[in-house]
Amino acid sequence: ANRRIDNMLGKEPETRPCNVPHIDSLLGGLPKRGLFTVIGHPGGGKTTWALGAVLGAAKANPIPVRVVSYEQDAIRTQATLLSIESGQQIHGYLNTGEAPGAEEAREISEAMSRQHPLDFAMVDRSIDAPAIYREIATTHARTGPGIVMVDYVQNLPGFGAFQEATPKIEESCRILASIARDFGWLVVMVSQPDKASSKHNSRPTAADAKGSSAIQQASDFIVYVWREHQQEPCPASDGPARQDWIRKQRKTEIGVVKNKYGKHGAEHVALDTKRMAFREPDAMEREAWGISPEGSVEHERL
């Protein structure tokens, strides 16, 4: 009881371990409840990061996970999850039509077997915020608290009187936040910054997205995923310059810009875009990125 009261007073969030180092080190794990927003530019890895986080939480804890995606279908979502789990280039096989080799197929099959017991499912892509609420209410009555991921909030369909972009986002955020409040679920909401911010590939801030005021007000946690060198052109010829470019493309900054419990910070991780996985950077990557061995990021609070 005292621990719950401490949580209510804002001393620390209740978290679930998810075996993802930069989440555990920044937040002590994925929060058990609340509205958790992940922002990032298109193609920057925000959906991959969010899927990896909720997959890790589901593997470490017997909880249901529901994914509502307006960006990719169930096949592509499962391909990302299997890539994270197996370390194989599942999207590459889908894109080229090539079959994996015997060893790769074995690792993919084993990954599928590990994921099979999880209560992890996609929800109809076309549903609006009220329908998401009803879906979670039905699931909660059967399973208890879990995680629902919405990718991404700007693409949620309009409903009732809320058809225009800003009112739709505002009311959708209110409804998603009520899922956390009414049922004790963690709602992971993915959000994109506006076009101007994405065009310049600046570090995402909570104020960049369409409907940002509602997002900032409703969210208990806001995390950004940013690849600093994402838009830099690839050198024409192979050689050291190209290898350096490849290493810089992996550089990803994960930062906490809102945490109602107070803890902020940022860390560098490496993104393998072929295998859809985040990992700790190696020594050569750190050297190419010009960061310290610890890899922490110092910048003004956004």
Side-chain angles (χ1 to χ4, degrees), residues 175-227:
I175 293 172
L176 293 177
S178 69
I179 292 174
R181 181 189 66 244
D182 295 348
F183 305 118
W185 278 55
L186 176 66
V187 180
V188 177
M189 185 173 73
V190 182
S191 174
Q192 282 194 353
D194 60 24
K195 291 182 179 179
S197 174
S198 294
K199 180 179 180 180
H200 299 291
N201 195 39
S202 54
R203 180 184 283 114
T205 74
D208 286 336
K210 183 176 291 186
S212 60
S213 295
I215 293 170
Q216 291 183 77
Q217 183 176 0
S219 298
D220 300 300
F221 309 86
I222 300 178
V223 171
Y224 68 82
V225 179
W226 179 48
R227 291 169 55 203

Side-chain angles (χ1 to χ4, degrees), residues 3-295:
R3 180 175 177 81
R4 289 297 300 273
I5 292 172
D6 282 346
N7 297 148
M8 292 170 60
L9 291 174
K11 290 186 177 181
E12 59 176 319
E14 292 184 281
T15 58
R16 292 187 179 98
C18 57
N19 298 322
V20 180
H22 44 279
I23 299 176
D24 291 338
S25 59
L26 284 171
L27 290 172
L30 206 59
K32 285 188 176 182
R33 60 186 60 83
L35 184 58
F36 186 103
T37 298
V38 182
I39 59 176
H41 301 301
K46 61 186 180 300
T47 297
T48 299
W49 187 87
L51 282 171
V54 299
L55 175 62
K59 287 170 60 181
N61 309 269
I63 56 172
V65 174
R66 298 294 179 264
V67 178
V68 186
S69 176
Y70 306 90
E71 279 293 282
Q72 55 187 14
D73 59 21
I75 293 176
R76 289 288 172 176
T77 299
Q78 178 63 358
T80 298
L81 293 169
L82 282 176
S83 292
I84 294 169
E85 182 72 26
S86 68
Q88 298 300 313
Q89 303 177 37
I90 310 296
H91 285 278
Y93 297 132
L94 287 175
N95 294 338
T96 64
E98 296 179 3
E103 180 63 22
E104 290 78 8
R106 182 188 64 80
E107 292 182 0
I108 294 169
S109 179
E110 290 179 355
M112 292 175 68
S113 297
R114 291 193 296 272
Q115 290 184 2
H116 181 70
L118 303 178
D119 187 357
F120 200 118
M122 288 280 294
V123 181
D124 186 347
R125 298 174 65 226
S126 64
I127 64 176
D128 55 27
I132 295 173
Y133 185 97
R134 293 191 295 270
E135 176 72 24
I136 298 307
T138 300
T139 303
H140 179 78
R142 178 174 56 84
T143 66
I147 301 173
V148 58
M149 173 177 161
V150 179
D151 184 20
Y152 55 92
V153 63
Q154 284 80 14
N155 272 5
L156 276 164
F159 55 95
F162 305 101
Q163 299 294 331
E164 298 298 323
T166 298
K168 176 195 68 175
I169 293 170
E170 291 175 349
E171 186 64 11
S172 294
C173 286
R174 187 192 67 78
I175 293 172
L176 293 177
S178 69
I179 292 174
R181 181 189 66 244
D182 295 348
F183 305 118
W185 278 55
L186 176 66
V187 180
V188 177
M189 185 173 73
V190 182
S191 174
Q192 282 194 353
D194 60 24
K195 291 182 179 179
S197 174
S198 294
K199 180 179 180 180
H200 299 291
N201 195 39
S202 54
R203 180 184 283 114
T205 74
D208 286 336
K210 183 176 291 186
S212 60
S213 295
I215 293 170
Q216 291 183 77
Q217 183 176 0
S219 298
D220 300 300
F221 309 86
I222 300 178
V223 171
Y224 68 82
V225 179
W226 179 48
R227 291 169 55 203
E228 181 180 357
H229 303 282
Q230 181 182 354
Q231 296 182 5
E232 293 181 4
C234 177
S237 58
D238 201 359
R242 191 168 203 171
Q243 293 304 310
D244 188 62
W245 176 84
I246 291 173
R247 293 189 185 96
K248 286 184 176 180
Q249 286 298 302
R250 298 176 186 146
K251 181 182 180 182
T252 309
E253 186 177 307
I254 311 293
V256 179
V257 294
K258 180 178 180 181
N259 179 354
K260 69 177 183 180
Y261 298 97
K263 185 176 180 181
H264 294 71
E267 292 185 359
H268 284 121
V269 296
L271 170 61
D272 185 331
T273 56
K274 292 183 178 180
R275 294 174 174 81
M276 310 298 286
F278 288 91
R279 57 171 173 77
E280 297 295 335
D282 59 32
M284 294 186 69
E285 287 165 341
R286 291 182 185 279
E287 182 179 356
W289 301 350
I291 65 173
S292 66
E294 292 76 19

